[in-house]
Amino acid sequence: MRTDQTFARADGAEPGELLHGLDAAQRHAVTVDAHPLCILAGAGSGKTRVLTRRIAHRIANGSALAPHVLALTFTRKAASELGRRLAAVGVRDRVAAGTFHAIAYAQLRRWWADRDEWAPTLLDHKARVLMSLLPRRPGVEVQPGELAAEIEWAKARLVAPEQYEAAVAAAGRRPPLPAGVVASIFRRYEDEKRRRRLVDFDDLVLLCAEALESDARFAAGQRWRFRHLFVDEFQDVNPAQLRLLEGWRGGRDDLCVVGDPDQAIYAWNGADPSALTRFSGRFPGATVVHLDHTYRSSPQIVAVANAVLDGWRAPGARALCPTRAAGSVPVVTAHAGERHEAAAVARSLRNQHTGGRSWSEMAVLARTRAQLVLFEESLRSAAIPFRLRGASTFLDRPSVRAAVAELRSASAHAPLSSTLADLQEAGRPDDDLEELGRMMAEQLTLDPGASVGGFLAWLKTAVPSEPAGDVDAVDLATFHASKGLEWQVVFLVGLEAGLVPVEHADTPEARVEERRLLYVAVTRAATELHCSWAERRAFGTRTVARAPSPWVATVEAAVAALAGAEADVDWRRLLDDIRARVRAAP
C-alpha cells in the first residue's frame, strides 16, 4: 500500500521543471504559497496551462497528493484536456477531474448504494415531463424548452417554485408565460418527478449538496478523499454549484479558482460572476493573482477587444496586454443584404484556403443560431466543408454508439473495471474508443466500485454537445459556443442593432453581458478579424432596413487608429491612445 509520502516522492516532475516557458506572472500563479487562491486570467493568457502547472507543481513539491485532488471544469472536453496535460508534465496518478454534475452524480450513486437505496432514474430531457404540463389554451404557444430554461435558471439560483415569481421580478427576467403560470408548472414538474422517482441534471448538484450537509459520515469521506480543490472558469459558477463547492470544501482553505470576469456571459442561465469578482470578500485572506498578457491575439485584435470593453470592465479585471508580433488591421464591412454577406464570407474563406490556410483555422461566429443558417447554405453551395459547433455529440459517433450498445447488452451490475480491461485488451485503433476508455477510467477514479449500469447513467451527465472529432472544416458557431476556442481567422457576422446586443437584453446588466459576449467573440481570433453587418435583412416575408450594432462604431474607431500605426509602434502607448479616441468618438 502506498503512503502519502510515497505519492509525494513518486508522482510528478521536479518542481523547477514545471516553470519552464512561463512568464513572471504565470510563475507566481503556479508557485505562490497561498490558500485560498484566485487567478484572474485574461483571454489567451495561458489559463489552462497555469492551472495544470499549479496542480502538477503542488504534487511535485508534496503539498498536494494526486489521489486527493478534485479539479472541476464546465465541460467534459476541458476535463479531458486537463488530464492529458497533467500526464504530459509527469503526473502519473490520475487526478479526479470533471463537471459539477458528473462529479456530483458519481458521489450520489455511491451514497445511495451505501444506504441500500435504489438510485432514482436520471431524466435527461425535461421535455418528457413538461409536455404533459403545458397549458392547453387557444393563443398560448410555448415550447417545453422555454419552460425548461426557466426551471434551470431557478434551480441554479436556488429558487424554489413558491419563490419564483418574486425572483423573476427582482431579476427583471421575462419568462415565456406569466410568472405565476410558470411557478405553477414548476411546482407540478417537481411533484411529478417525485411521484415517478426521477431526478434531472439540476437535481444532481442540489442533492449532492444536501447529502454533504445532512450526512456527516458521507461529508467526512468526501472531504478526506478530495482535500485539494481547483475550479476552472469560476466566473461561470452559479449559486447551486457554489453551495456544492462549500459542501466539498467544508470550511477548509485549500481552494484555487481560475477565471476571467470579462468573459462572464452566462448570468441569463443562472451564473453569478460576483463569486469571482468578490472572491476576497467571500474567502477572507484570499490571494488574487492577475494574468493579463495575452499570447493568442495580435496587438491589432487586442486593441479592438480592449476598445469593446473600455469603461465596462468587470471589477478587478484588467485590459489585455499583447505579446505577439503585429498582424493585419481588422476589417469592418457593410453588405447590401444578409445573402450578400454570406456569399462574401464564403469567397473570403475560399481565398484564404487557396492561399494555404486550412479550413479548420477559420470560423464564422454569429450572435444567434438562426443567423448561421444562411452561412450553412452559402458554404454548402461553395463546396466548403464546415461543421456546426454543438450540432452533434460524442455519443452520436458510430464507434462510440456501437460500444455503448455493447455495454447496454451486458449486465448492469457487471464491474466497470473488468469491462475497461476488456476494452484495453481489445486494443481497437480508434480515437473515440480511447476517449471512452479514458472516461471509464475517470469514473473508476471517482467510484472504484462502479458498475456498467452506473457508468452508462453517469455518461449522460459527462458528455454535453460537442462537434465531431478532428476534421478540416470551417467552424460555424454562436458567440456563446465559441467560448474557450480559438482560430487564426475569425469572421464576426450580423453585427446589427437588435442582434448585437440582442433585442431582449433590455436591462443595464444584460447589455453589459452582451458587451462581454462580443469581447469573447473578438478574442477568439489570433491573426485576422473580419467584422460585417447587413444593411437589409429578411424576416419571414418582410425585408427590413438594418442599422449597425451601436458597438460597431467603437470597433471602427479602433480600426481607424490602427490604420495609421507604424510598423515599430509602441503598442502599449498606442493601445492607451486608442482607448482615448474610442471614448471621444460620437
Side-chain angles (χ1 to χ4, degrees), residues 23-312:
D23 65 28
Q26 291 172 333
R27 285 196 299 274
H28 181 56
V30 167
T31 61
V32 62
D33 183 14
H35 309 285
L37 175 65
C38 174
I39 302 172
L40 296 180
S45 64
K47 170 181 66 68
T48 304
R49 189 183 201 195
V50 166
L51 179 61
T52 303
R53 298 288 185 93
R54 180 165 179 84
I55 294 172
H57 191 269
R58 290 198 55 198
I59 292 170
N61 69 20
S63 65
L65 309 170
H68 295 293
V69 168
L70 175 59
L72 295 155
T73 66
F74 277 82
T75 66
R76 157 74 201 143
K77 180 181 177 182
S80 182
E81 175 65 17
L82 184 66
R84 280 193 289 267
R85 291 197 185 200
L86 286 170
V89 295
V91 177
R92 292 184 290 278
D93 284 304
R94 182 175 290 276
V95 164
T99 66
F100 280 87
H101 293 87
I103 301 293
Y105 194 32
Q107 292 186 3
L108 281 171
R109 291 190 67 85
R110 175 48 50 196
W111 185 61
W112 288 322
D114 290 344
R115 292 158 59 95
D116 293 323
E117 294 182 10
W118 284 101
T121 300
L122 181 62
L123 177 67
D124 51 359
H125 294 292
K126 291 182 178 66
R128 295 179 181 177
V129 173
L130 288 172
M131 280 296 293
S132 62
L133 305 179
L134 292 178
R136 306 293 183 186
R137 297 195 299 272
V140 177
E141 294 184 8
V142 62
Q143 297 299 314
E146 296 175 274
L147 290 173
E150 287 303 302
I151 292 172
E152 288 163 5
W153 173 83
K155 289 188 169 185
R157 305 292 298 185
L158 300 175
V159 172
E162 57 272 17
Q163 303 165 325
Y164 176 81
E165 286 186 79
V168 163
R173 193 173 177 87
R174 296 190 301 181
L177 292 171
V181 175
V182 176
S184 175
I185 295 172
F186 184 8
R187 187 178 302 108
R188 290 159 57 204
Y189 169 78
E190 294 297 299
D191 291 342
E192 185 66 12
K193 282 194 299 151
R194 277 191 290 272
R195 186 184 72 80
R196 294 165 58 179
R197 194 164 169 73
L198 301 172
V199 293
D200 59 27
F201 288 147
D202 311 300
D203 293 328
L204 301 178
V205 171
L206 296 170
L207 288 172
C208 192
E210 289 169 4
L212 290 166
E213 293 163 359
S214 63
D215 188 331
R217 183 176 179 181
F218 173 66
Q222 295 304 323
R223 290 167 188 164
W224 177 87
R225 173 74 189 286
F226 298 122
R227 309 173 196 175
H228 322 294
L229 304 178
F230 297 82
V231 188
D232 193 13
E233 303 287 8
F234 199 66
Q235 77 279 351
D236 293 336
V237 297
N238 60 47
Q241 291 163 336
L242 281 172
R243 179 180 172 187
L244 177 55
L245 180 64
E246 283 300 286
W248 284 325
R249 197 172 73 92
R252 299 169 298 176
D253 287 338
D254 199 341
L255 170 68
C256 172
V257 307
V258 182
D260 180 7
D262 282 341
Q263 296 187 72
I265 57 174
Y266 290 110
W268 59 272
N269 202 27
D272 181 9
S274 72
L276 180 64
T277 58
R278 300 175 186 171
F279 188 84
S280 296
R282 180 182 290 271
F283 303 99
T287 296
V288 178
V289 175
H290 291 266
L291 304 179
D292 53 16
H293 283 76
T294 179
Y295 295 88
R296 175 188 301 152
S297 303
S298 70
Q300 288 85 350
I301 294 170
V302 170
V304 171
N306 284 341
V308 165
L309 274 191
D310 189 47
W312 301 91

Side-chain angles (χ1 to χ4, degrees), residues 486-501:
E486 61 183 80
W487 297 270
Q488 291 299 308
V489 180
V490 167
F491 293 81
L492 301 187
V493 299
L495 299 182
E496 298 157 26
L499 291 171
V500 181

Side-chain angles (χ1 to χ4, degrees), residues 233-434:
E233 303 287 8
F234 199 66
Q235 77 279 351
D236 293 336
V237 297
N238 60 47
Q241 291 163 336
L242 281 172
R243 179 180 172 187
L244 177 55
L245 180 64
E246 283 300 286
W248 284 325
R249 197 172 73 92
R252 299 169 298 176
D253 287 338
D254 199 341
L255 170 68
C256 172
V257 307
V258 182
D260 180 7
D262 282 341
Q263 296 187 72
I265 57 174
Y266 290 110
W268 59 272
N269 202 27
D272 181 9
S274 72
L276 180 64
T277 58
R278 300 175 186 171
F279 188 84
S280 296
R282 180 182 290 271
F283 303 99
T287 296
V288 178
V289 175
H290 291 266
L291 304 179
D292 53 16
H293 283 76
T294 179
Y295 295 88
R296 175 188 301 152
S297 303
S298 70
Q300 288 85 350
I301 294 170
V302 170
V304 171
N306 284 341
V308 165
L309 274 191
D310 189 47
W312 301 91
R313 301 204 100 88
R318 296 179 179 178
L320 292 175
C321 297
T323 60
R324 293 187 56 164
S328 59
V329 175
V331 176
V332 181
T333 307
H335 296 279
E338 76 269 39
R339 292 191 177 277
H340 297 85
E341 181 184 34
V345 168
R347 286 193 299 272
S348 294
L349 289 167
R350 173 67 66 186
N351 291 338
Q352 291 267 0
H353 184 65
T354 301
R357 183 84 68 186
S358 67
W359 296 120
S360 59
E361 291 182 293
M362 299 180 284
V364 179
L365 309 181
R367 173 61 182 85
T368 69
R369 169 68 182 87
Q371 290 173 268
L372 293 172
V373 173
L374 278 177
F375 292 90
E376 291 180 58
E377 295 176 3
S378 185
L379 268 58
R380 190 177 290 113
S381 298
I384 295 175
F386 66 89
R387 60 180 177 179
L388 187 65
R389 286 275 170 176
S392 63
T393 71
F394 174 77
L395 297 180
D396 290 332
R397 302 176 192 175
S399 58
V400 175
R401 197 163 56 239
V404 169
E406 288 182 27
L407 291 174
R408 293 193 189 283
S409 67
S411 169
H413 301 290
L416 182 62
S417 55
S418 61
T419 305
L420 174 59
D422 291 342
L423 183 66
Q424 291 171 334
E425 186 176 341
R428 305 182 199 180
D430 186 296
D431 291 339
D432 292 337
L433 289 180
E434 287 183 12

